[in-house]
């Protein structure tokens, strides 16, 4: 199956598609229309940008090749984190103390914004508190502990609770972990229902969203003409919100991101007792491996387990078998449980594993490369893009918050868009192999 196999059709089969709620009825574009801002892609980035622009009074059109939440936003692990992907100590080291620390305000805004959008638009997406980061190797516990100490001491962040080895076995039914850190401010949710709720929110503010409308070309100039097979949008400004599905639509930036695929399975419902026996407090879990195992319980008591990735344009033939391996490594007791759903999605990573924001030309903006942590960061990303577009329209220059992200210098993947894969695959396999060493 290729990663694009479902474009133009419905959401690919998954636990999320089977339990989707409140999808708005949307048409394809079949006319030539005008607007202030045209957004390409209806995932969290595009939908959050649409909400934050529409509430400022801009006339917004969103064009989506398939369906709202068809991309990674409707298929992911549902873990709503509190960082910008890298930890604060890592950011301080990478960018210097001041830049690193300034990003913490954005990180906090990312989680606050996601939670307040859920509240404001009454999005029923099973929001549940807590993500626990667990130590796969003994040595991982020391940096997890140091991070928690650093956050308490330098940021006054008191939501991180260190869990020692003797306690963690009561919280998660596996003997694999050396301990962990529970982030009580983080949460987990039904990602597709979150995306669908954002779309309803954007529509309620007057944004227009067209599904089954793939953008083929965007002209230079102001206004720009955004061309699709069935109509055009003439827009003063354009936002590219395509993440792992950008392809060749914008060649000035696509070399800075790499699409990779990640996979999830959903077991049969385990019953209240079975689910509680597996994860006592219903928190989400992400371990410290390079190829992360991440999992949580669904609202109906299934284990939704994400693990395993590949770097090609096709998904494994048997995704269930592919992901069952890491699941059984952590939970051998689930060997006889049925797998009801198995699916994959494509996300964009950057070399620095930090998102990539910026503009190509005076009126074309982009935000992508969340490197596996997009629920909070892409929601924030859409808001920052809206701030940048509004500032440009009002002749105010580039806003400081957008620049804090855009000034994280991105590095192109060596080898350009054609040759980057062999190098990436070799690197990824090396680190994945290290996961298996003691
Ligand atoms: C399996 C998996 C697990 C993940 N787990 C987590 C997690 O637990 N927590 C977390 O925070 N993040 C997770 N992520 C990452 C997160 O899902 C993404 O970072 C986030 O959804 C990106 O949102 P987006 O709107 O930028 O992109 P997407 O949601 O991918 O949306 C891009 C949209 O653009 C559309 N598009 C592309 N090209 C065109 C075009 N030419 N014309 C029109 N439309 C176009 C696509 O159809 C797509 O709908 C995971 C990702 C995957 C794949």
């Amino acid at each position: 199956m290729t990663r694009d196999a479902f474009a133009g059709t419905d959401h690919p089969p998954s636990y999320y598609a089977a339990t989707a709620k409140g999808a708005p009825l949307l048409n394809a574009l079949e006319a030539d229309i005008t607007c202030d801002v045209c957004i390409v892609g209806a995932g969290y980035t595009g939908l959050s940008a649409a909400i934050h622009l529409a509430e400022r009074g801009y006339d917004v059109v969103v064009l989506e090749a398939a369906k709202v939440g068809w991309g990674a936003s409707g298929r992911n692990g549902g873990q709503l984190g509190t960082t910008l992907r890298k930890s604060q100590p890592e950011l301080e080291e990478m960018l210097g103390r001041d830049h690193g620390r300034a990003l913490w305000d954005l990180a906090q805004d990312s989680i606050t914004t996601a939670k307040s959008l859920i509240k404001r638009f009454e999005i029923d997406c099973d929001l549940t508190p807590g993500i626990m980061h667990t130590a796969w190797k003994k040595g991982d516990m020391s940096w997890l502990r140091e991070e928690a100490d650093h956050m308490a001491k330098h940021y006054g962040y008191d939501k991180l609770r260190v869990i020692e080895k003797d306690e963690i076995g009561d919280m998660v039914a596996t003997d694999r972990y050396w301990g962990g850190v529970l982030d009580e401010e983080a949460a987990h949710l039904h990602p597709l229902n979150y995306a669908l709720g954002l779309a309803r929110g954007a529509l309620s503010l007057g944004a227009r969203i067209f599904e089954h409308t793939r953008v083929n070309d965007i002209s230079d100039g102001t206004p720009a003409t955004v061309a699709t097979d069935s109509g055009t949008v003439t827009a003063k400004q354009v936002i590219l919100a395509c993440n792992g599905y950008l392809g060749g639509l914008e060649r000035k930036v696509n070399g800075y991101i790499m699409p990779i695929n990640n996979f999830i399975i959903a077991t049969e419902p385990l019953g209240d007792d079975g689910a509680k026996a597996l994860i006592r407090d219903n928190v989400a879990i992400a371990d410290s491996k390079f190829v992360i195992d991440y999992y949580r319980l669904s609202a109906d008591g299934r284990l939704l387990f994400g693990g395993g990735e590949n770097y090609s344009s096709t998904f494994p033939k048997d995704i269930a078998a592919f992901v069952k391996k890491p699941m059984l490594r952590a939970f051998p007791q689930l060997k006889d449980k049925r797998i009801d759903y198995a699916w994959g999605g494509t996300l964009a990573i950057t070399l620095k594993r930090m998102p990539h924001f910026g503009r190509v030309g005076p009126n074309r903006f982009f935000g992508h490369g969340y490197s596996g942590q997009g629920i909070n960061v892409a929601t924030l990303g859409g808001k920052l893009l809206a701030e940048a577009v509004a500032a440009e329209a009002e002749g105010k220059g580039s806003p400081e918050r957008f620049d804090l992200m855009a000034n994280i210098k991105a590095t192109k993947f060596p080898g350009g868009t054609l040759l980057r894969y062999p190098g990436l695959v070799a690197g990824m396999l090396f680190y994945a192999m290290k996961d298996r060493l003691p």
Side-chain angles (χ1 to χ4, degrees), residues 92-377:
E92 288 171 30
E93 195 183 324
M94 188 169 121
L95 303 167
R97 194 164 169 269
D98 291 348
H99 191 174
R101 291 204 173 179
L103 288 171
W104 178 240
D105 290 341
L106 290 185
Q108 291 203 299
D109 191 28
S110 72
I111 181 97
T112 308
T113 301
K115 286 183 180 174
S116 66
L117 288 171
I118 291 169
K119 200 163 173 195
R120 173 175 169 197
F121 296 117
E122 297 175 355
I123 303 176
D124 182 1
C125 60
D126 310 329
L127 185 67
T128 308
I131 298 181
M132 187 155 68
H133 298 275
T134 58
W136 181 255
K137 292 184 183 178
K138 196 173 181 184
D140 295 341
M141 203 47 213
S142 45
W143 60 258
L144 280 169
R145 200 190 303 276
E146 275 165 25
E147 262 175 37
D149 289 349
H150 186 87
M151 292 309 292
K153 190 166 164 205
H154 298 290
Y155 293 85
Y157 187 67
D158 59 2
K159 307 285 182 191
L160 298 177
R161 185 157 76 81
V162 174
I163 313 288
E164 302 295 347
K165 186 164 173 42
D166 57 2
E167 190 188 352
I168 203 159
D170 295 337
M171 297 176 76
V172 201
T174 175
D175 58 6
R176 282 284 169 166
Y177 302 135
W178 291 89
V181 168
L182 175 65
D183 185 345
E184 290 163 340
E185 183 66 20
H188 58 100
L189 51 68
H190 187 304
L192 178 56
N193 284 338
Y194 175 52
L196 294 171
L198 292 180
R200 291 193 304 275
L203 291 167
S204 73
L205 295 168
R208 289 172 281 172
I209 305 176
F210 297 94
E211 293 185 328
H212 305 302
T213 303
R214 180 183 288 267
V215 171
N216 301 319
D217 185 57
I218 305 167
S219 74
D220 289 331
T222 309
T225 303
V226 181
T228 76
D229 284 341
S230 52
T232 59
V233 179
T234 302
K236 290 178 200 144
Q237 305 198 67
V238 176
I239 293 177
L240 290 163
C242 304
N243 204 42
Y245 299 90
L246 178 66
L249 189 61
E250 181 49 81
R251 293 188 187 280
K252 285 186 194 133
V253 290
N254 69 353
Y256 292 89
I257 51 173
M258 170 82 65
I260 70 167
N261 310 313
N262 200 289
F263 305 98
I264 302 182
I265 52 180
T267 65
E268 63 183 291
L270 303 172
D272 285 351
D273 291 346
K276 213 175 164 58
L278 212 58
I279 306 176
R280 189 189 66 194
D281 302 330
N282 197 10
V283 297
I285 285 144
D287 74 13
S288 58
K289 291 208 296 301
F290 180 74
V291 179
I292 295 174
D293 288 347
Y294 55 95
Y295 52 90
R296 65 193 184 91
L297 297 168
S298 63
D300 63 355
R302 300 166 190 275
L303 181 67
L304 305 184
F305 190 97
E309 55 191 33
N310 78 7
Y311 317 112
S312 75
S313 58
T314 55
F315 288 175
K317 276 202 179 65
D318 187 348
I319 295 175
F322 186 69
V323 184
K324 220 174 160 181
K325 262 193 211 158
M327 182 183 84
L328 293 184
R329 232 178 12 239
F331 300 113
Q333 66 270 42
L334 297 182
K335 74 175 180 342
D336 297 326
K337 295 293 176 199
R338 209 176 54 233
I339 303 300
D340 283 348
Y341 303 93
W343 67 95
T346 301
L347 57 133
I349 60 167
T350 61
L351 265 179
K352 289 188 174 156
R353 302 295 190 272
M354 279 297 284
H356 182 214
F357 285 87
R359 54 204 283 175
V360 272
N363 63 343
R364 201 179 304 177
F365 295 78
F366 63 87
H368 53 209
Y370 306 103
S371 303
Q373 193 170 320
I375 306 183
N376 65 318
V377 189

Side-chain angles (χ1 to χ4, degrees), residues 30 43 48 55 70 74 81-82 141 180 201 207 216 220 232 236 266 269 271 275 277 329 361 380 393 433 437:
E30 281 174 358
S48 168
E55 72 184 1
W70 177 90
T82 55
M141 203 47 213
N216 301 319
D220 289 331
T232 59
K236 290 178 200 144
R329 232 178 12 239
L380 170 79
M433 189 192 73
L437 300 174

